[in-house]
Amino acid sequence: MTSNVNNSNVNNNALDGMYWADKNKVDDKNNGALTQSDFFALLTQQLAFQDPTKPVENDQMIAQMTNFTMADGISSLNKSFAGFAENMSSNQALQASSLVGRSVLTQSDEIVFTGDTLSRGNITLDKPANSMKISIENDKGEVIQSFSVDNPKVGKNEFIWDGTHNGTGSAMASAAAEGDAGDEEVIDRVKAGVYKVKVDVAFADGSNGSLPINVYTPVGSVSMNGGANGSIMLNLLGLGAVKLSDVLEVSYG
């Protein structure tokens, strides 16, 4: 007698119980990387399946074990160095936070006048010059103040700007209240803001040129850069962010 067995009615859900579900899989914490234990397991298998007539030489086995140990040591060193770098970044951020409210010297073609404090900067000459002219311009390119220095010295030449102007430009503000000047001298100053600064030099050898200028700017805040290097950034008032490594000098004023 022939009997036909129909398997079409078998519940597929019953078969699912015969296999592990995805949630029961063990997570690979090493992301597939071999550890020292894996290397020694491979070495044990190599010894177990070696040709008895040609066993592994002692020096070969020692060399393999040494390589395994070195690989594990390098991995541990990389982890330790990563932790050290993270701690260094945290310490740098903590130290940089003490700069908030102070002024730092950086190279810039712009200078900030806060309205309350003097604007300061310096220019470094690397060879003798007959004269040097510092010009400060507003956002329209108008020269609102200029300073001339005859026979500037080789090296650092400092300058101070108190916000006064030569009567030109459109960004002016009076330091005295209107109608309250009395017998006191009224000093006109520019409005607080960011201004362009240029330096033109006539050198002693007859050549002319422009030089970069370093300016002091107040630090408003400190932030960590989102990049992979995690560099510290100082947010300067009016000038934006600069790297801590770009700071040339720190000043109280």
Side-chain angles (χ1 to χ4, degrees):
M1 181 177 65
T2 302
S3 61
N4 296 325
V5 179
N6 188 357
N7 295 328
S8 61
N9 294 328
V10 177
N11 189 352
N12 290 331
N13 292 332
L15 298 177
D16 293 341
M18 300 176 63
Y19 301 95
W20 286 351
D22 291 341
K23 64 180 181 179
N24 293 327
K25 291 183 179 180
V26 178
D27 294 334
D28 188 359
K29 297 182 180 179
N30 296 321
N31 295 323
L34 295 177
T35 63
Q36 187 178 29
S37 299
D38 297 322
F39 283 126
F40 278 110
L42 291 173
L43 178 61
T44 302
Q45 292 297 318
Q46 179 184 359
L47 295 175
F49 291 97
Q50 66 180 337
D51 187 351
T53 62
K54 297 179 180 180
V56 178
E57 298 292 339
N58 291 337
D59 56 347
Q60 293 181 2
M61 185 172 64
I62 293 175
Q64 292 188 45
M65 294 180 65
T66 302
N67 290 335
F68 298 157
T69 303
M70 289 179 59
D72 185 69
I74 293 174
S75 178
S76 300
L77 180 62
N78 289 337
K79 292 179 181 179
S80 299
F81 185 78
F84 175 75
E86 184 177 353
N87 291 334
M88 285 292 294
S89 297
S90 299
N91 291 336
Q92 286 182 348
L94 182 61
Q95 293 175 358
S97 64
S98 63
L99 299 179
V100 176
R102 301 176 67 176
S103 294
V104 295
L105 184 68
T106 58
Q107 182 174 315
S108 176
D109 61 352
E110 294 180 322
I111 192 168
V112 175
F113 178 63
T114 63
D116 298 323
T117 59
L118 300 175
S119 299
R120 300 179 294 130
N122 62 59
I123 304 99
T124 301
L125 288 177
D126 56 0
K127 61 181 180 179
N130 294 328
S131 64
M132 179 172 62
K133 183 179 181 180
I134 303 170
S135 302
I136 299 176
E137 302 176 354
N138 59 16
D139 55 357
K140 296 182 179 180
E142 302 170 329
V143 177
I144 58 176
Q145 187 58 276
S146 61
F147 314 93
S148 294
V149 180
D150 294 330
N151 299 317
K153 63 181 180 180
V154 176
K156 184 185 295 184
N157 293 265
E158 298 183 349
F159 77 93
I160 296 176
W161 180 43
D162 60 359
T164 56
H165 58 86
N166 57 10
T168 63
S170 58
M172 306 304 169
S174 177
E178 183 178 356
D180 191 30
D183 295 333
E184 297 180 0
E185 182 182 0
V186 177
I187 302 176
D188 288 335
R189 289 188 172 89
V190 299
K191 295 179 181 179
V194 180
Y195 296 86
K196 289 284 185 179
V197 57
K198 297 180 180 179
V199 178
D200 297 312
V201 181
F203 294 103
D205 59 7
S207 62
N208 298 320
S210 298
L211 292 180
I213 186 169
N214 302 321
V215 298
Y216 289 94
T217 311
V219 178
S221 62
V222 177
S223 60
M224 294 288 294
N225 187 15
N229 57 354
S231 58
I232 306 298
M233 305 297 292
L234 303 182
N235 301 310
L236 305 185
L237 182 64
L239 298 187
V242 298
K243 295 181 179 179
L244 179 62
S245 57
D246 292 335
V247 173
L248 304 175
E249 186 179 314
V250 180
S251 172
Y252 283 102

